[in-house]
């Protein structure tokens, strides 16, 4: 595709960052939101689980729709849903209404993640796509870096509902930018014969060993991250730290994730996709093992909990862009469908890990470290299978 028709990287960053920003901005406020709505912390934590399920469902829909109707119109409709859902979440009178709003909000927000990856694959070849995804992911980390601190500060001053108003303030200009600046990159629309056809498209990918194994790698490595996200607010609160303290500590996680994504962008084309993916997973598993050892053997401190997670984030940043590039390159003509299916598998498994960790974590951090380590080992096992087909 001619360079003039390639979308600006800043717009791809903003599209992709909407989902993580919206997820992260509410997390520091979970303990206090539970008190405000009169529910246990475990029930409030379900807003994270429901958000991930909404992301999983949305990604299953957007991939085939974008392959049929184009990236741009699907993204515009999804952002419209996001704005309506953000307003519902801001004024939700009870936990069920908030849960509904967060599911719909997630379904709208995840469109940028799915379509951003597909757009990159539309206009760049596989190895270069991994590099571009790495740069987008690196810059995208500004959203989850800023969101927890923004959420903590807004919650302290105005209450947790104001964080959902903040999502509206993020979403409106993004929708305008998409309408004005995003070109259509789909070259040849693919047929979409109803729900049965969508199911067949997904099954055709799941029959490919290369996609099946790389999907398992992506799911397990994502499970490491979301197990941490589910347990971290409770662990920080049990140590006596405020939402602002949690958000400050999370900055180290975001910075190291950005560094790993920069490494993916800088070295993936030179080293090769498989080698970079392997290196990232090894770093991630090392960080998980260190976290488990610290929680079992040393006094519990916020630094001892978050610094090993920063190492995990470095490995995640290195591996994630390469896993995505591998998945959407299995069938390039179905890049949107592959991107959506991979994202759904990742978010669905991540949601399961939030439920598991929510049930096990008592504030000591040991359960979180155990779940993370288990997911990390799973990612290495899946990588052995993937190596035979990549």
């Amino acid at each position: 595709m001619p360079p003039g028709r390639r979308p600006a990287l800043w717009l791809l960053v903003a599209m992709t960052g909407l989902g993580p920003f919206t997820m992260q901005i509410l997390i520091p406020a979970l303990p206090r939101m539970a008190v405000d709505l009169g529910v246990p912390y475990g029930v409030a934590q379900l807003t994270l689980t429901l958000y991930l399920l909404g992301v999983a469902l949305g990604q299953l829909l957007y991939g085939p729709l974008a392959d049929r109707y184009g990236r741009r119109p699907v993204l515009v409709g999804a952002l419209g849903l996001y704005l309506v859902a953000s307003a519902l979440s801001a004024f939700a009178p009870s936990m069920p209404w908030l849960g509904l709003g967060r599911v719909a909000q997630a379904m709208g927000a995840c469109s940028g993640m799915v379509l951003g990856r597909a757009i990159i694959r539309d206009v760049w070849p596989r190895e270069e796509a991994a590099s571009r995804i790495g740069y987008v992911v690196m810059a995208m980390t500004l959203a989850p870096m800023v969101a927890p601190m923004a959420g903590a500060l807004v919650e302290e001053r105005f209450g947790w509902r104001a964080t959902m108003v903040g999502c509206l303030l993020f979403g409106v200009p993004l929708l305008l930018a998409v309408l004005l600046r995003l070109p259509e990159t789909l070259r040849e629309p693919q047929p979409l014969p109803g729900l049965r056809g969508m199911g067949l498209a997904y099954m055709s990918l799941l029959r490919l060993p290369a996609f099946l194994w790389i999907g398992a790698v992506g799911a397990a490595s994502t499970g490491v991250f979301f197990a941490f996200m589910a347990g971290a607010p409770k662990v920080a609160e049990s140590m006596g730290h405020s939402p602002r303290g949690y958000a400050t500590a999370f900055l180290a996680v975001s910075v190291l994730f950005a560094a790993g994504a920069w490494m993916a962008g800088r070295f993936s084309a030179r080293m090769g996709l498989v080698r970079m993916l392997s290196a990232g997973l090894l770093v991630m598993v090392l960080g998980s093992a260190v976290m488990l050892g610290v929680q079992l053997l040393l006094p519990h401190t916020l630094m001892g909990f978050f610094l090993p997670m920063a190492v995990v984030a470095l490995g995640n940043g290195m591996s994630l862009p390469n896993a995505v590039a591998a998945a959407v390159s299995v069938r390039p003509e179905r890049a949107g469908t592959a991107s959506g299916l991979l994202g759904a598998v990742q978010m669905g498994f991540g949601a399961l890990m939030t439920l598991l960790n929510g049930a096990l974590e008592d504030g000591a951090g040991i359960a979180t470290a155990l779940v993370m380590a288990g997911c990390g080992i799973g990612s290495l096992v899946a990588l052995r299978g993937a190596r035979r087909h990549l």
Side-chain angles (χ1 to χ4, degrees), residues 9 58 78 318 335 388:
L9 280 179
M318 294 167 61
R388 298 193 294 268

Side-chain angles (χ1 to χ4, degrees), residues 218-228 346 349-350 353-354 371-372 375-376:
S221 58
T222 301
V224 173
F225 181 78
F226 285 117
F228 176 82
Q346 289 176 302
F349 189 78
M353 293 305 99
T354 65
V371 175
M372 290 173 60
C375 290

Side-chain angles (χ1 to χ4, degrees), residues 187-199:
R187 300 180 184 183
E188 184 176 346
Q190 300 292 315
L192 181 67
L195 291 176
R196 181 175 181 273
M198 291 171 63

Side-chain angles (χ1 to χ4, degrees), residues 82-380:
Y82 174 81
L83 296 179
V84 173
S86 296
L88 173 60
S89 299
F91 299 102
S94 63
M95 184 64 201
W97 281 105
L98 177 60
L100 177 63
R102 288 291 277 175
V103 169
Q105 196 181 37
M107 291 182 67
C110 74
S111 59
M113 293 186 286
V114 178
L115 302 181
R117 296 184 300 223
I119 288 169
I120 289 173
R121 190 59 185 90
D122 286 341
V123 299
W124 282 287
R126 189 183 90 153
E127 298 296 335
E128 196 173 347
S131 177
R132 295 288 175 174
I133 291 173
Y135 284 128
V136 168
V137 170
M138 178 188 67
M140 182 201 75
T141 55
L142 180 64
M145 188 184 299
V146 170
M149 182 59 73
L153 295 175
V154 169
E155 192 274 337
E156 285 180 5
R157 189 173 180 85
F158 303 108
W160 65 268
R161 294 181 186 276
T163 63
M164 298 294 95
V165 177
C167 293
L168 282 171
L169 298 179
F170 190 98
V172 169
L174 178 58
L175 176 57
L176 292 176
V178 167
L179 288 170
L180 296 174
R181 300 293 299 273
L182 183 70
E184 180 56 62
T185 61
L186 181 65
R187 300 180 184 183
E188 184 176 346
Q190 300 292 315
L192 181 67
L195 291 176
R196 181 175 181 273
M198 291 171 63
L200 290 174
Y202 285 130
M203 289 305 299
S204 70
L205 287 171
L206 291 173
R207 291 191 188 99
L208 300 174
F211 186 88
L212 196 62
W213 282 112
I214 201 64
V217 171
S221 58
T222 301
V224 173
F225 181 78
F226 285 117
F228 176 82
M229 295 303 301
K234 188 171 185 178
V235 173
E237 186 188 37
S238 72
M239 295 177 183
H241 294 279
S242 67
R244 188 187 300 191
Y246 165 88
T248 302
F250 194 80
L251 286 174
V253 176
S254 297
V255 168
L256 267 292
F257 186 84
W262 176 84
M263 293 173 67
R266 182 70 177 82
F267 299 115
S268 290
R270 183 186 309 172
M271 292 179 57
L273 183 150
V274 176
R275 289 176 63 192
M276 200 67 190
L277 176 59
S278 302
L281 292 181
L282 287 172
V283 172
M284 184 187 71
V285 172
L286 174 63
S288 300
V290 170
M291 174 178 279
L292 180 58
V294 168
Q295 302 312 306
L296 289 173
L297 302 175
L298 298 179
H300 292 170
T301 64
L302 199 63
M303 182 177 294
F305 189 68
F306 274 85
L307 285 185
M309 181 58 199
V311 176
V312 172
L314 176 68
N316 245 322
M318 294 167 61
S319 60
L320 180 59
N322 290 281
V324 172
V328 299
S329 298
V330 172
R331 292 274 300 274
E333 73 279 7
R334 290 283 186 181
T337 302
S339 177
L341 182 56
L342 176 66
V345 170
Q346 289 176 302
M347 295 304 107
F349 189 78
L352 288 176
M353 293 305 99
T354 65
L355 287 175
L356 176 62
N357 202 38
L360 297 177
E361 183 57 69
D362 60 2
I366 295 174
T368 297
L370 280 170
V371 175
M372 290 173 60
C375 290
I377 293 170
S379 71
L380 289 180

